[in-house]
Amino acid sequence: DVTENYRLNQRLKNEEILFQQLGRNLKSQVLYISQVKPFKHLYASPTFSEIWGFEVQELLEKPGKYFEAIVTE
């Protein structure tokens, strides 16, 4: 049904907008969305760069990248 498809698409667009707003408005936390198999990050909020010290794109390309920033004692 065309009407139902339209409603679903509108709902998806609205949810994407809310999700983007959430990610942008986090100031001291990082929001991640990851896939388990195969493991990879699908999204990281912009605060990732500020907190971890490297770009989100680097994390998306190398999922374990942030382990390099962890200092073991």
Side-chain angles (χ1 to χ4, degrees):
D1 178 48
V2 174
T3 303
E4 184 64 20
N5 282 343
Y6 177 78
R7 285 186 193 145
L8 289 173
N9 282 332
Q10 285 302 112
R11 184 174 171 192
L12 179 60
K13 286 179 186 177
N14 289 339
E15 289 177 4
E16 286 176 4
I17 289 168
L18 289 172
F19 177 77
Q20 289 172 354
Q21 289 174 343
L22 173 65
R24 281 194 304 267
N25 290 316
L26 290 172
K27 301 298 179 198
S28 61
Q29 295 108 12
V30 174
L31 173 65
Y32 292 99
I33 295 184
S34 301
Q35 171 180 295
V36 177
K37 290 185 181 179
F39 181 74
K40 67 179 180 178
H41 297 293
L42 304 174
Y43 175 83
S45 59
T47 53
F48 175 84
S49 297
E50 297 167 27
I51 293 171
W52 287 94
F54 53 93
E55 296 301 317
V56 170
Q57 190 60 39
E58 290 180 75
L59 176 71
L60 298 179
E61 292 170 1
K62 293 180 170 181
K65 175 83 175 155
Y66 58 92
F67 288 118
E68 296 173 13
I70 298 173
V71 177
T72 57
E73 294 185 22

